[in-house]
């Protein structure tokens, strides 16, 4: 059985999908090397980037192609929402609503990942990064797509159907993912109290007790505010990150099909 050709194709497709965001990612990484409060090593950056490409290729080339077959059994677009890739003003408003819905679903999925042991086991590799940085923006377990399908994709299918998602919408999702993990104390003024910024999301990755189970949103601080998980950092608050008692040197154990979580 030829597995090399499909594997290479999956990697190339992943690189192609990430290519539009390479300039932003490169800019953030260079800025981290110059201005980061906690320096990010070249080794960490290389491991993160190699893993992100490999994990995404594995997830999209293997896991998702089987999961998407389940779409045929999911009732879709029950409210008959007509979403179109052509961005008229009506479509812009609808896609903005789509992103708010995505953010709401992601908030609860993310929150469950921190309280349900089995989900935490697969989310752990994202938090094991001991100095969270832009290169870890998609450092998720390659099997996490199974849970994302159940908690994000299925509800979106039921409510919105399976429309062609415009590149602009994908850009919002990926850009936020990169910037929120950016290792920079740079502030964004009034936006710090509305959107998920690097300083705000770093609190979520913090090892400090007062920051545990805070700041779960993807785009907006709205859901954290509504459901009492919001923690707005002070101007000089930029904590160390990771999972207390665990070391990232056991990284390979964290990405096994059934992750092994080993303390130091």
């Amino acid at each position: 059985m030829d597995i090399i050709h499909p594997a290479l194709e999956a990697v190339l497709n992943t690189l192609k999908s990430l290519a539009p965001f390479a300039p932003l990612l490169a800019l953030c990484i260079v800025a981290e090397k110059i201005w980061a409060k906690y320096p990010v090593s070249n080794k960490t950056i290389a491991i993160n980037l190699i893993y992100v490409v490999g994990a995404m290729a594995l997830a999209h080339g293997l896991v998702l192609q089987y999961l998407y077959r389940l779409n045929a059994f999911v009732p879709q677009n029950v409210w008959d929402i007509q979403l179109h890739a052509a961005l008229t003003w009506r479509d812009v408003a609808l896609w903005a609503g789509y992103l708010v819905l995505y953010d709401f679903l992601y908030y609860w999925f993310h929150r469950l990942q921190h309280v349900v042991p089995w989900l935490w086991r697969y989310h752990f590799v994202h938090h094991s990064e001991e100095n969270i940085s832009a290169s870890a923006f998609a450092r998720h377990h390659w099997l996490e797509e199974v849970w994302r399908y159940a908690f994000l994709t299925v509800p979106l299918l039921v409510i919105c159907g399976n429309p062609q998602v415009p590149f602009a919408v994908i850009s919002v999702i990926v850009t936020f993912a990169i910037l929120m993990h950016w290792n920079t104390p740079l502030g964004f003024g009034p936006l710090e109290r509305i959107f998920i910024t690097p300083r705000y999301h770093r609190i979520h990755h913090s090892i400090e007790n007062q920051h545990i189970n805070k700041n779960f949103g993807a785009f907006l601080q709205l859901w954290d505010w509504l459901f009492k998980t919001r923690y707005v950092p002070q101007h000089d608050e930029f904590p160390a990150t990771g999972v207390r008692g665990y070391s990232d040197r056991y990284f390979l154990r964290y990405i096994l099909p059934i992750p092994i979580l080993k303390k130091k």
Side-chain angles (χ1 to χ4, degrees), residues 24-49 52 125-140 174-185 198-199 201-203 205-206 238-242 248:
L24 173 62
L25 183 58
L27 181 63
C28 289
I29 290 173
V30 170
E32 287 173 343
K33 299 299 291 184
I34 300 172
W35 294 300
K37 183 173 181 178
Y38 301 106
V40 184
S41 71
N42 292 332
K43 179 181 178 181
T44 295
I45 294 169
I47 290 174
N48 283 342
L49 293 179
V52 164
V125 68
H126 184 62
H127 278 267
S128 67
E129 168 65 84
E130 294 177 74
N131 187 11
I132 196 67
S133 62
S135 63
F137 77 102
R139 183 178 136 146
H140 300 290
V174 179
T175 299
F176 265 90
I178 294 173
L179 291 180
M180 73 168 65
H181 294 99
W182 189 16
N183 183 346
T184 177
R199 292 176 60 246
H201 189 66
R202 193 173 183 91
I203 295 297
H205 284 267
S206 171
F238 200 76
T241 64
D248 207 33

Side-chain angles (χ1 to χ4, degrees), residues 99-109 152 219 223 227:
L99 285 171
V100 172
L101 174 61
Y102 177 97
D103 196 29
F104 174 77
L105 294 172
Y106 180 86
Y107 171 87
W108 283 108
F109 169 56
L152 295 177
F219 311 132
W223 312 119
F227 301 112

